Coordinates of all heavy atoms in Angstrom, one line a residue:
M1 N 2.4 -38.2 -21.9 CA 2.7 -36.9 -21.5 C 1.5 -36.3 -20.6 O 1.8 -35.6 -19.7 CB 2.8 -36.0 -22.8 CG 3.2 -34.6 -22.4 SD 3.5 -33.4 -23.8 CE 4.8 -34.2 -24.6
L2 N 0.3 -36.7 -20.9 CA -0.8 -36.2 -20.1 C -0.8 -36.8 -18.7 O -1.1 -36.1 -17.8 CB -2.1 -36.6 -20.8 CG -3.4 -36.1 -20.3 CD1 -3.4 -34.5 -20.3 CD2 -4.6 -36.6 -21.0
I3 N -0.3 -38.0 -18.6 CA -0.2 -38.6 -17.3 C 0.9 -37.9 -16.5 O 0.7 -37.6 -15.3 CB 0.1 -40.1 -17.4 CG1 -1.1 -40.9 -18.0 CG2 0.5 -40.7 -16.0 CD1 -0.8 -42.3 -18.4
A4 N 2.0 -37.6 -17.1 CA 3.1 -36.9 -16.4 C 2.6 -35.5 -15.9 O 2.9 -35.0 -14.8 CB 4.3 -36.7 -17.3
M5 N 1.8 -34.8 -16.8 CA 1.3 -33.5 -16.5 C 0.3 -33.6 -15.2 O 0.4 -32.8 -14.3 CB 0.5 -32.9 -17.7 CG 0.3 -31.4 -17.6 SD -0.2 -30.8 -19.2 CE -2.0 -31.1 -19.1
G6 N -0.5 -34.6 -15.2 CA -1.4 -34.8 -14.0 C -0.6 -35.2 -12.8 O -1.0 -34.7 -11.7
F7 N 0.4 -36.0 -12.9 CA 1.3 -36.3 -11.8 C 1.9 -35.1 -11.2 O 1.9 -34.9 -10.0 CB 2.3 -37.3 -12.2 CG 3.3 -37.6 -11.1 CD1 3.0 -38.4 -10.0 CD2 4.6 -37.1 -11.2 CE1 4.0 -38.7 -9.0 CE2 5.6 -37.3 -10.2 CZ 5.2 -38.1 -9.1
F8 N 2.6 -34.3 -12.0 CA 3.2 -33.1 -11.5 C 2.3 -32.0 -11.0 O 2.6 -31.3 -10.0 CB 4.2 -32.5 -12.5 CG 5.4 -33.3 -12.8 CD1 5.6 -34.0 -14.0 CD2 6.3 -33.5 -11.8 CE1 6.7 -34.8 -14.1 CE2 7.5 -34.3 -11.9 CZ 7.6 -34.9 -13.1
N9 N 1.1 -32.0 -11.5 CA 0.0 -31.1 -11.0 C -0.3 -31.5 -9.6 O -0.5 -30.7 -8.7 CB -1.2 -31.1 -11.9 CG -2.2 -30.1 -11.4 OD1 -1.9 -28.9 -11.2 ND2 -3.4 -30.6 -11.3
D10 N -0.6 -32.8 -9.4 CA -0.9 -33.3 -8.0 C 0.2 -33.2 -7.1 O 0.0 -33.0 -5.9 CB -1.4 -34.8 -8.1 CG -2.7 -34.9 -8.8 OD1 -3.4 -33.9 -8.9 OD2 -3.1 -36.0 -9.2
L11 N 1.4 -33.2 -7.6 CA 2.6 -33.1 -6.7 C 2.7 -31.7 -6.1 O 3.2 -31.6 -4.9 CB 3.9 -33.4 -7.5 CG 5.2 -33.6 -6.8 CD1 5.1 -34.9 -5.9 CD2 6.3 -33.8 -7.8
I12 N 2.2 -30.7 -6.7 CA 2.3 -29.3 -6.2 C 1.1 -28.9 -5.3 O 1.2 -27.9 -4.6 CB 2.5 -28.3 -7.4 CG1 2.9 -26.9 -6.9 CG2 1.2 -28.2 -8.2 CD1 4.2 -26.9 -6.1
M13 N 0.1 -29.7 -5.3 CA -1.1 -29.3 -4.6 C -0.9 -29.2 -3.1 O -1.4 -28.2 -2.5 CB -2.3 -30.3 -4.9 CG -2.8 -30.2 -6.4 SD -3.1 -28.5 -6.9 CE -4.4 -28.0 -5.9
A14 N -0.3 -30.1 -2.5 CA -0.1 -30.0 -1.0 C 0.7 -28.8 -0.6 O 0.3 -28.1 0.3 CB 0.6 -31.3 -0.5
P15 N 1.8 -28.5 -1.3 CA 2.5 -27.3 -0.9 C 1.7 -26.0 -1.2 O 1.8 -25.0 -0.5 CB 3.8 -27.3 -1.8 CG 4.0 -28.7 -2.1 CD 2.6 -29.3 -2.2
A16 N 0.9 -26.0 -2.2 CA 0.1 -24.9 -2.5 C -0.9 -24.6 -1.4 O -1.1 -23.4 -1.0 CB -0.6 -25.1 -3.9
W17 N -1.6 -25.6 -0.9 CA -2.5 -25.4 0.2 C -1.8 -25.1 1.4 O -2.3 -24.3 2.3 CB -3.4 -26.6 0.4 CG -4.3 -26.9 -0.8 CD1 -4.3 -27.9 -1.7 CD2 -5.4 -26.1 -1.2 NE1 -5.3 -27.8 -2.6 CE2 -6.0 -26.7 -2.4 CE3 -6.0 -24.9 -0.8 CZ2 -7.1 -26.2 -3.1 CZ3 -7.1 -24.4 -1.5 CH2 -7.6 -25.0 -2.6
A18 N -0.6 -25.6 1.7 CA 0.1 -25.3 2.9 C 0.6 -23.8 2.9 O 0.5 -23.1 3.9 CB 1.4 -26.2 3.0
V19 N 1.0 -23.3 1.7 CA 1.3 -21.9 1.6 C 0.1 -21.0 1.9 O 0.3 -20.0 2.6 CB 1.9 -21.6 0.2 CG1 2.1 -20.1 0.0 CG2 3.3 -22.2 0.1
C20 N -1.0 -21.4 1.5 CA -2.2 -20.6 1.8 C -2.5 -20.6 3.3 O -2.8 -19.5 3.8 CB -3.5 -21.3 1.1 SG -3.5 -21.0 -0.7
Q21 N -2.2 -21.7 4.0 CA -2.4 -21.7 5.4 C -1.3 -20.8 6.1 O -1.6 -20.1 7.1 CB -2.3 -23.1 6.0 CG -3.6 -23.9 5.6 CD -3.5 -25.3 6.0 OE1 -2.5 -25.8 6.5 NE2 -4.6 -26.0 6.0
D22 N -0.1 -20.9 5.6 CA 1.0 -20.1 6.2 C 0.8 -18.6 6.0 O 1.0 -17.9 7.0 CB 2.4 -20.6 5.6 CG 2.8 -21.9 6.1 OD1 2.2 -22.4 7.1 OD2 3.7 -22.5 5.4
I23 N 0.5 -18.2 4.8 CA 0.4 -16.7 4.6 C -1.0 -16.2 5.0 O -1.1 -15.0 5.3 CB 0.7 -16.3 3.2 CG1 -0.3 -16.9 2.2 CG2 2.1 -16.8 2.8 CD1 -0.2 -16.3 0.8
G24 N -2.0 -17.0 5.0 CA -3.3 -16.6 5.4 C -3.6 -16.6 6.9 O -4.4 -15.8 7.4
Q25 N -3.0 -17.5 7.6 CA -3.2 -17.8 9.0 C -4.6 -17.8 9.3 O -5.3 -18.7 8.9 CB -2.4 -16.7 9.8 CG -0.9 -16.9 9.7 CD -0.1 -16.0 10.5 OE1 -0.6 -15.0 11.0 NE2 1.2 -16.2 10.6
E26 N -5.2 -16.8 10.0 CA -6.6 -16.9 10.4 C -7.5 -16.6 9.1 O -8.7 -16.8 9.2 CB -7.0 -15.9 11.5 CG -6.7 -14.5 11.2 CD -6.9 -13.6 12.4 OE1 -6.6 -14.0 13.5 OE2 -7.4 -12.4 12.2
Y27 N -6.9 -16.2 8.0 CA -7.7 -16.0 6.8 C -7.3 -17.0 5.8 O -7.4 -16.8 4.6 CB -7.4 -14.6 6.2 CG -7.8 -13.5 7.2 CD1 -6.8 -12.8 7.9 CD2 -9.1 -13.1 7.4 CE1 -7.1 -11.7 8.8 CE2 -9.4 -12.1 8.3 CZ -8.5 -11.4 9.0 OH -8.8 -10.5 9.9
A28 N -6.9 -18.2 6.2 CA -6.4 -19.2 5.3 C -7.5 -19.7 4.3 O -7.3 -19.9 3.2 CB -5.9 -20.4 6.1
A29 N -8.8 -19.7 4.8 CA -9.9 -20.1 3.9 C -10.1 -19.1 2.8 O -10.4 -19.5 1.7 CB -11.1 -20.3 4.7
T30 N -9.9 -17.8 3.1 CA -10.1 -16.8 2.1 C -9.0 -16.9 1.1 O -9.2 -16.8 -0.1 CB -10.1 -15.4 2.8 OG1 -11.1 -15.3 3.8 CG2 -10.3 -14.3 1.8
V31 N -7.7 -17.1 1.5 CA -6.6 -17.2 0.6 C -6.8 -18.4 -0.3 O -6.6 -18.4 -1.5 CB -5.3 -17.2 1.4 CG1 -4.1 -17.4 0.4 CG2 -5.1 -15.9 2.1
S32 N -7.2 -19.5 0.4 CA -7.4 -20.8 -0.4 C -8.5 -20.7 -1.4 O -8.4 -21.1 -2.5 CB -7.7 -21.9 0.6 OG -6.6 -22.2 1.5
G33 N -9.6 -20.0 -1.0 CA -10.7 -19.8 -1.9 C -10.3 -18.9 -3.1 O -10.7 -19.2 -4.2
A34 N -9.5 -17.9 -2.8 CA -9.1 -17.0 -3.9 C -8.2 -17.8 -4.9 O -8.3 -17.6 -6.1 CB -8.3 -15.8 -3.3
M35 N -7.2 -18.6 -4.3 CA -6.3 -19.4 -5.2 C -7.2 -20.3 -6.0 O -6.9 -20.5 -7.2 CB -5.3 -20.1 -4.3 CG -4.4 -21.0 -5.1 SD -3.3 -22.0 -4.2 CE -4.5 -23.3 -3.6
N36 N -8.1 -21.0 -5.4 CA -8.9 -22.0 -6.1 C -9.8 -21.3 -7.2 O -9.9 -21.8 -8.3 CB -9.8 -22.7 -5.1 CG -10.3 -24.0 -5.6 OD1 -9.7 -24.6 -6.5 ND2 -11.5 -24.4 -5.1
M37 N -10.4 -20.2 -6.9 CA -11.2 -19.5 -7.8 C -10.4 -19.0 -9.1 O -10.8 -19.2 -10.2 CB -11.9 -18.2 -7.2 CG -12.8 -17.5 -8.2 SD -13.3 -15.9 -7.5 CE -11.7 -15.0 -7.4
V38 N -9.2 -18.4 -8.8 CA -8.4 -18.0 -10.0 C -8.0 -19.2 -10.8 O -8.0 -19.1 -12.0 CB -7.2 -17.1 -9.4 CG1 -6.2 -16.8 -10.6 CG2 -7.7 -15.8 -8.8
G39 N -7.5 -20.2 -10.1 CA -7.1 -21.4 -10.9 C -8.2 -22.0 -11.7 O -8.0 -22.4 -12.9
N40 N -9.4 -22.1 -11.2 CA -10.5 -22.6 -11.9 C -11.0 -21.7 -13.1 O -11.4 -22.2 -14.2 CB -11.7 -23.0 -11.0 CG -11.5 -24.2 -10.2 OD1 -10.8 -25.1 -10.6 ND2 -12.0 -24.2 -9.0
L41 N -10.9 -20.4 -12.8 CA -11.3 -19.4 -13.8 C -10.3 -19.5 -15.0 O -10.7 -19.6 -16.2 CB -11.3 -18.0 -13.3 CG -11.7 -16.9 -14.2 CD1 -13.1 -17.1 -14.6 CD2 -11.5 -15.6 -13.5
I42 N -9.0 -19.6 -14.7 CA -8.0 -19.7 -15.8 C -8.2 -21.0 -16.5 O -8.1 -21.1 -17.7 CB -6.6 -19.6 -15.2 CG1 -6.3 -18.2 -14.6 CG2 -5.5 -19.9 -16.2 CD1 -6.4 -17.1 -15.5
G43 N -8.5 -22.1 -15.8 CA -8.7 -23.4 -16.4 C -9.9 -23.4 -17.4 O -9.8 -23.9 -18.5
A44 N -11.0 -22.7 -17.0 CA -12.1 -22.6 -17.9 C -11.9 -21.7 -19.1 O -12.2 -22.1 -20.2 CB -13.3 -22.1 -17.1
V45 N -11.2 -20.6 -18.9 CA -10.9 -19.7 -20.0 C -9.9 -20.3 -20.9 O -10.1 -20.1 -22.1 CB -10.4 -18.3 -19.4 CG1 -9.9 -17.4 -20.5 CG2 -11.6 -17.6 -18.7
S46 N -8.9 -21.0 -20.4 CA -7.9 -21.6 -21.3 C -8.5 -22.7 -22.2 O -8.2 -22.8 -23.3 CB -6.7 -22.1 -20.6 OG -7.1 -23.2 -19.8
G47 N -9.5 -23.4 -21.6 CA -10.2 -24.4 -22.4 C -11.0 -23.8 -23.5 O -10.9 -24.3 -24.7
I48 N -11.7 -22.8 -23.2 CA -12.5 -22.1 -24.3 C -11.5 -21.4 -25.3 O -11.7 -21.5 -26.5 CB -13.4 -21.0 -23.6 CG1 -14.4 -21.7 -22.8 CG2 -14.0 -20.1 -24.7 CD1 -15.2 -20.8 -21.9
F49 N -10.4 -20.8 -24.8 CA -9.5 -20.2 -25.7 C -8.9 -21.2 -26.7 O -8.9 -20.9 -27.9 CB -8.4 -19.5 -24.9 CG -7.2 -19.0 -25.7 CD1 -7.4 -17.8 -26.4 CD2 -6.0 -19.7 -25.8 CE1 -6.3 -17.3 -27.2 CE2 -5.0 -19.2 -26.5 CZ -5.1 -18.0 -27.2
F50 N -8.4 -22.3 -26.2 CA -7.7 -23.3 -27.1 C -8.7 -24.0 -28.0 O -8.4 -24.2 -29.2 CB -6.9 -24.3 -26.3 CG -5.6 -23.7 -25.9 CD1 -5.3 -23.6 -24.6 CD2 -4.7 -23.3 -26.8 CE1 -4.1 -23.1 -24.2 CE2 -3.5 -22.7 -26.4 CZ -3.2 -22.6 -25.1
T51 N -9.9 -24.3 -27.5 CA -10.9 -24.9 -28.4 C -11.4 -23.9 -29.4 O -11.5 -24.3 -30.6 CB -12.1 -25.4 -27.5 OG1 -11.6 -26.2 -26.5 CG2 -13.1 -26.1 -28.4
G52 N -11.6 -22.7 -29.1 CA -12.1 -21.7 -30.0 C -11.1 -21.2 -31.0 O -11.4 -20.9 -32.1
L53 N -9.9 -21.0 -30.5 CA -8.9 -20.3 -31.4 C -7.9 -21.2 -32.1 O -7.7 -21.2 -33.3 CB -8.1 -19.2 -30.6 CG -9.0 -18.0 -30.1 CD1 -8.1 -17.1 -29.3 CD2 -9.6 -17.3 -31.3
V54 N -7.3 -22.1 -31.3 CA -6.2 -22.9 -31.8 C -6.7 -24.1 -32.5 O -6.3 -24.4 -33.6 CB -5.2 -23.3 -30.7 CG1 -4.1 -24.3 -31.2 CG2 -4.6 -22.1 -30.0
M55 N -7.6 -24.9 -31.9 CA -8.1 -26.1 -32.5 C -9.0 -25.9 -33.7 O -9.0 -26.8 -34.5 CB -8.8 -26.9 -31.4 CG -7.9 -27.3 -30.3 SD -6.4 -28.2 -30.8 CE -6.7 -29.7 -30.0
T56 N -9.7 -24.8 -33.8 CA -10.5 -24.6 -35.0 C -9.8 -23.7 -36.0 O -10.4 -23.4 -37.0 CB -11.8 -23.9 -34.6 OG1 -11.6 -22.7 -33.9 CG2 -12.6 -24.8 -33.6
S57 N -8.6 -23.3 -35.8 CA -7.8 -22.5 -36.7 C -7.5 -23.2 -38.0 O -7.1 -24.4 -38.0 CB -6.6 -22.0 -36.1 OG -5.8 -21.2 -37.0
K58 N -7.7 -22.6 -39.1 CA -7.4 -23.2 -40.4 C -5.9 -23.0 -40.8 O -5.4 -23.7 -41.6 CB -8.3 -22.6 -41.5 CG -9.8 -22.7 -41.2 CD -10.3 -24.1 -41.6 CE -11.8 -24.1 -41.5 NZ -12.3 -25.1 -40.6
S59 N -5.3 -21.9 -40.2 CA -3.9 -21.6 -40.5 C -2.9 -22.5 -39.8 O -1.7 -22.6 -40.2 CB -3.6 -20.2 -40.2 OG -3.7 -19.9 -38.9
V60 N -3.3 -23.2 -38.8 CA -2.3 -24.1 -38.0 C -2.5 -25.5 -38.6 O -3.6 -26.0 -38.6 CB -2.6 -24.0 -36.5 CG1 -1.7 -25.0 -35.8 CG2 -2.5 -22.6 -36.0
P61 N -1.4 -26.1 -38.9 CA -1.5 -27.5 -39.4 C -2.1 -28.4 -38.3 O -1.9 -28.2 -37.1 CB -0.1 -27.9 -39.7 CG 0.7 -26.6 -39.8 CD -0.1 -25.6 -39.0
E62 N -2.9 -29.4 -38.8 CA -3.6 -30.3 -37.8 C -2.6 -31.0 -36.9 O -2.9 -31.2 -35.7 CB -4.3 -31.4 -38.7 CG -5.4 -32.1 -37.9 CD -6.6 -31.2 -37.5 OE1 -6.9 -30.3 -38.3 OE2 -7.1 -31.4 -36.4
S63 N -1.5 -31.4 -37.4 CA -0.5 -32.1 -36.5 C 0.1 -31.2 -35.4 O 0.7 -31.7 -34.5 CB 0.6 -32.7 -37.3 OG 1.3 -31.7 -38.0
Q64 N 0.1 -29.9 -35.6 CA 0.7 -28.9 -34.7 C -0.2 -28.4 -33.6 O 0.2 -27.8 -32.7 CB 1.3 -27.8 -35.5 CG 2.4 -28.2 -36.4 CD 3.6 -28.8 -35.6 OE1 4.0 -28.2 -34.6 NE2 4.1 -29.9 -36.0
K65 N -1.5 -28.6 -33.8 CA -2.5 -28.0 -32.8 C -2.3 -28.5 -31.4 O -2.3 -27.7 -30.5 CB -3.9 -28.3 -33.3 CG -4.2 -27.5 -34.6 CD -5.7 -27.8 -35.0 CE -5.9 -27.0 -36.3 NZ -7.3 -27.2 -36.8
I66 N -2.2 -29.8 -31.2 CA -2.0 -30.3 -29.9 C -0.7 -29.9 -29.3 O -0.5 -29.7 -28.1 CB -2.3 -31.8 -29.8 CG1 -2.5 -32.3 -28.4 CG2 -1.1 -32.6 -30.4 CD1 -3.8 -31.8 -27.8
V67 N 0.3 -29.8 -30.1 CA 1.7 -29.4 -29.7 C 1.6 -28.0 -29.2 O 2.2 -27.7 -28.1 CB 2.7 -29.5 -30.8 CG1 4.1 -29.0 -30.4 CG2 2.8 -31.0 -31.3
I68 N 0.9 -27.1 -29.8 CA 0.7 -25.7 -29.4 C 0.0 -25.7 -28.0 O 0.5 -25.0 -27.1 CB -0.1 -24.9 -30.4 CG1 0.8 -24.7 -31.7 CG2 -0.5 -23.5 -29.8 CD1 0.0 -24.1 -32.8
C69 N -1.0 -26.5 -27.8 CA -1.7 -26.5 -26.6 C -0.8 -27.0 -25.4 O -0.7 -26.4 -24.4 CB -2.9 -27.5 -26.6 SG -4.2 -26.8 -27.6
F70 N -0.1 -28.1 -25.6 CA 0.8 -28.6 -24.6 C 2.0 -27.7 -24.3 O 2.4 -27.5 -23.1 CB 1.3 -30.0 -24.9 CG 0.4 -31.1 -24.5 CD1 -0.2 -31.9 -25.5 CD2 0.0 -31.4 -23.2 CE1 -1.1 -32.9 -25.2 CE2 -0.8 -32.4 -22.9 CZ -1.4 -33.2 -23.9
T71 N 2.5 -27.1 -25.3 CA 3.6 -26.1 -25.1 C 3.2 -24.9 -24.3 O 3.9 -24.5 -23.4 CB 4.2 -25.7 -26.5 OG1 4.6 -26.9 -27.2 CG2 5.4 -24.8 -26.3
T72 N 2.0 -24.4 -24.7 CA 1.5 -23.3 -23.9 C 1.2 -23.6 -22.5 O 1.6 -22.9 -21.6 CB 0.2 -22.8 -24.6 OG1 0.4 -22.5 -25.9 CG2 -0.3 -21.5 -23.9
Y73 N 0.7 -24.8 -22.2 CA 0.4 -25.2 -20.8 C 1.8 -25.4 -20.1 O 1.9 -25.0 -18.9 CB -0.4 -26.5 -20.7 CG -1.9 -26.2 -21.0 CD1 -2.6 -27.1 -21.9 CD2 -2.6 -25.2 -20.4 CE1 -3.9 -26.9 -22.2 CE2 -3.9 -25.0 -20.7 CZ -4.6 -25.8 -21.5 OH -5.9 -25.6 -21.8
A74 N 2.8 -25.9 -20.8 CA 4.1 -26.1 -20.1 C 4.7 -24.8 -19.8 O 5.3 -24.6 -18.7 CB 5.0 -26.9 -21.1
V75 N 4.6 -23.8 -20.7 CA 5.1 -22.5 -20.4 C 4.4 -21.8 -19.2 O 5.1 -21.3 -18.3 CB 5.0 -21.6 -21.7 CG1 5.3 -20.1 -21.3 CG2 6.0 -22.1 -22.7
V76 N 3.1 -22.0 -19.1 CA 2.4 -21.4 -18.0 C 2.7 -22.1 -16.7 O 2.9 -21.4 -15.7 CB 0.8 -21.6 -18.3 CG1 0.0 -21.3 -17.0 CG2 0.4 -20.6 -19.4
Y77 N 3.0 -23.4 -16.7 CA 3.4 -24.1 -15.5 C 4.8 -23.6 -15.1 O 5.0 -23.4 -13.9 CB 3.5 -25.6 -15.8 CG 2.2 -26.3 -15.4 CD1 1.2 -26.6 -16.3 CD2 2.0 -26.8 -14.1 CE1 0.0 -27.2 -15.9 CE2 0.9 -27.4 -13.7 CZ -0.1 -27.7 -14.6 OH -1.3 -28.3 -14.3
F78 N 5.7 -23.4 -16.0 CA 7.0 -22.9 -15.6 C 7.0 -21.5 -15.1 O 7.7 -21.2 -14.2 CB 8.0 -23.0 -16.8 CG 8.5 -24.4 -17.0 CD1 8.3 -25.1 -18.1 CD2 9.3 -25.0 -16.0 CE1 8.7 -26.4 -18.3 CE2 9.8 -26.3 -16.2 CZ 9.5 -27.0 -17.3
I79 N 6.1 -20.7 -15.6 CA 5.9 -19.3 -15.1 C 5.4 -19.4 -13.7 O 5.8 -18.7 -12.8 CB 5.0 -18.5 -16.0 CG1 5.7 -18.2 -17.3 CG2 4.6 -17.2 -15.3 CD1 4.8 -17.5 -18.4
G80 N 4.4 -20.3 -13.5 CA 3.9 -20.6 -12.2 C 4.9 -21.0 -11.2 O 4.9 -20.5 -10.0
V81 N 5.8 -21.9 -11.6 CA 6.9 -22.3 -10.7 C 7.7 -21.1 -10.3 O 8.1 -20.9 -9.1 CB 7.7 -23.4 -11.3 CG1 9.0 -23.6 -10.6 CG2 6.9 -24.7 -11.5
G82 N 8.1 -20.3 -11.2 CA 8.9 -19.1 -10.9 C 8.1 -18.1 -10.0 O 8.8 -17.6 -9.1
L83 N 6.8 -18.0 -10.2 CA 6.1 -17.1 -9.3 C 6.0 -17.7 -7.9 O 6.0 -16.9 -6.9 CB 4.7 -16.8 -9.9 CG 4.7 -16.0 -11.2 CD1 3.3 -15.8 -11.7 CD2 5.3 -14.6 -10.9
W84 N 5.8 -19.0 -7.8 CA 5.7 -19.6 -6.5 C 7.1 -19.5 -5.7 O 7.1 -19.4 -4.5 CB 5.4 -21.1 -6.6 CG 4.0 -21.4 -6.6 CD1 3.2 -21.8 -7.7 CD2 3.1 -21.3 -5.5 NE1 1.9 -21.9 -7.3 CE2 1.8 -21.6 -6.0 CE3 3.2 -21.0 -4.2 CZ2 0.6 -21.6 -5.2 CZ3 2.1 -21.0 -3.3 CH2 0.8 -21.3 -3.8
C85 N 8.2 -19.4 -6.4 CA 9.5 -19.2 -5.8 C 9.6 -17.8 -5.2 O 10.4 -17.6 -4.3 CB 10.6 -19.4 -6.8 SG 10.8 -21.2 -7.3
L86 N 8.8 -16.9 -5.6 CA 8.8 -15.5 -5.1 C 8.0 -15.3 -3.8 O 8.1 -14.3 -3.2 CB 8.3 -14.5 -6.2 CG 9.1 -14.4 -7.4 CD1 8.5 -13.5 -8.4 CD2 10.6 -14.0 -7.1
I87 N 7.2 -16.3 -3.5 CA 6.3 -16.2 -2.3 C 7.2 -16.6 -1.0 O 7.8 -17.7 -1.0 CB 5.1 -17.2 -2.4 CG1 4.2 -16.7 -3.6 CG2 4.3 -17.2 -1.1 CD1 3.1 -17.6 -3.8
D88 N 7.1 -15.7 -0.1 CA 7.8 -16.0 1.2 C 6.7 -16.4 2.2 O 5.9 -15.6 2.7 CB 8.5 -14.7 1.7 CG 9.2 -15.0 3.0 OD1 9.3 -16.2 3.5 OD2 9.8 -14.0 3.5
A89 N 6.6 -17.7 2.4 CA 5.5 -18.3 3.3 C 5.7 -17.9 4.7 O 4.8 -18.1 5.5 CB 5.5 -19.8 3.1
S90 N 6.8 -17.4 5.1 CA 7.0 -17.0 6.5 C 6.4 -15.6 6.8 O 6.3 -15.2 8.0 CB 8.5 -17.0 6.9 OG 9.2 -15.9 6.2
K91 N 6.0 -14.9 5.8 CA 5.4 -13.6 6.0 C 3.9 -13.6 5.7 O 3.4 -13.9 4.6 CB 6.0 -12.5 5.0 CG 7.4 -12.3 5.3 CD 8.0 -11.2 4.3 CE 9.4 -11.0 4.6 NZ 10.0 -10.0 3.6
P92 N 3.0 -13.4 6.8 CA 1.6 -13.5 6.5 C 1.1 -12.3 5.8 O 1.8 -11.2 5.8 CB 1.0 -13.5 7.9 CG 2.1 -12.9 8.8 CD 3.4 -13.2 8.1
I93 N 0.0 -12.4 5.1 CA -0.5 -11.2 4.3 C -1.2 -10.2 5.1 O -1.4 -9.1 4.8 CB -1.4 -11.7 3.1 CG1 -2.6 -12.6 3.7 CG2 -0.6 -12.5 2.1 CD1 -3.6 -12.9 2.6
A94 N -1.7 -10.6 6.3 CA -2.4 -9.7 7.2 C -1.6 -9.8 8.5 O -1.0 -10.8 9.0 CB -3.8 -10.2 7.5
A95 N -1.5 -8.6 9.2 CA -0.8 -8.5 10.4 C -1.5 -9.4 11.5 O -2.7 -9.3 11.6 CB -0.7 -7.1 10.9
Y96 N -0.8 -10.1 12.2 CA -1.3 -11.0 13.2 C -1.7 -10.1 14.4 O -0.9 -9.4 14.9 CB -0.3 -12.1 13.6 CG -0.9 -13.0 14.6 CD1 -1.9 -13.9 14.3 CD2 -0.4 -13.0 15.9 CE1 -2.4 -14.8 15.3 CE2 -0.9 -13.8 16.9 CZ -1.9 -14.7 16.6 OH -2.4 -15.6 17.5
Q97 N -2.9 -10.3 14.9 CA -3.3 -9.5 16.1 C -3.7 -10.6 17.1 O -4.7 -11.3 17.0 CB -4.5 -8.7 15.8 CG -4.3 -7.6 14.7 CD -5.6 -6.9 14.4 OE1 -6.6 -7.1 14.9 NE2 -5.4 -5.8 13.6
A98 N -2.9 -10.6 18.2 CA -3.1 -11.5 19.3 C -4.3 -11.0 20.1 O -4.3 -9.8 20.5 CB -1.9 -11.7 20.1
T99 N -5.3 -11.9 20.3 CA -6.4 -11.5 21.1 C -6.3 -12.1 22.5 O -6.0 -13.3 22.6 CB -7.8 -11.9 20.5 OG1 -7.7 -13.3 20.2 CG2 -8.0 -11.2 19.2
V100 N -6.4 -11.3 23.5 CA -6.3 -11.8 24.9 C -7.7 -11.9 25.4 O -8.4 -10.9 25.5 CB -5.4 -10.9 25.7 CG1 -5.3 -11.4 27.1 CG2 -4.0 -10.8 25.1
G101 N -8.1 -13.1 25.8 CA -9.4 -13.2 26.4 C -9.3 -13.3 27.9 O -8.3 -13.5 28.5
N102 N -10.5 -13.0 28.5 CA -10.5 -13.1 29.9 C -10.7 -14.5 30.4 O -11.5 -15.3 29.9 CB -11.7 -12.3 30.5 CG -11.5 -10.8 30.2 OD1 -10.4 -10.3 30.1 ND2 -12.6 -10.1 30.1
S103 N -9.8 -14.9 31.3 CA -9.9 -16.3 31.8 C -10.8 -16.5 32.9 O -11.0 -15.8 33.8 CB -8.5 -16.8 32.2 OG -7.7 -16.8 31.0

């Protein structure tokens, strides 16, 4: 299951970076950096959350702890898929301003 999760995560990376370039245009690095920062922040917080709350909980049976973690991650991935479907990559986030230089 962990291998499948890694495979599908890597499968979405190219379209994610491409959308950042499409909607960011000249600000693609800023959009990519924001996406990367939020993703890493959520990854760090979720690791602390599950380690601290779910895995050390005495009320959750030992056999169910890892199931809760994987189920939660699966739900978050499906929510992410739904949110990605709402992004229109043909519309940039900043108005494009054509600069005309002197030749």
Side-chain angles (χ1 to χ4, degrees):
M1 185 179 296
L2 189 58
I3 293 171
M5 198 165 82
F7 172 76
F8 287 112
N9 183 52
D10 288 345
L11 194 62
I12 193 62
M13 291 312 298
W17 293 112
V19 167
C20 289
Q21 290 177 347
D22 288 342
I23 67 172
Q25 293 181 348
E26 63 187 34
Y27 302 105
T30 304
V31 176
S32 298
M35 179 188 73
N36 199 26
M37 180 191 65
V38 170
N40 287 327
L41 182 64
I42 297 297
V45 169
S46 68
I48 293 168
F49 172 76
F50 282 118
T51 302
L53 293 179
V54 175
M55 297 305 243
T56 59
S57 175
K58 304 279 190 238
S59 63
V60 178
E62 198 66 36
S63 62
Q64 294 298 312
K65 290 180 180 180
I66 196 70
V67 174
I68 291 171
C69 288
F70 276 116
T71 303
T72 304
Y73 285 134
V75 168
V76 169
Y77 267 93
F78 281 115
I79 290 171
V81 167
L83 292 175
W84 272 106
C85 290
L86 298 176
I87 295 174
D88 184 3
S90 66
K91 294 181 182 177
I93 57 172
Y96 180 73
Q97 297 175 358
T99 56
V100 178
N102 294 332
S103 296

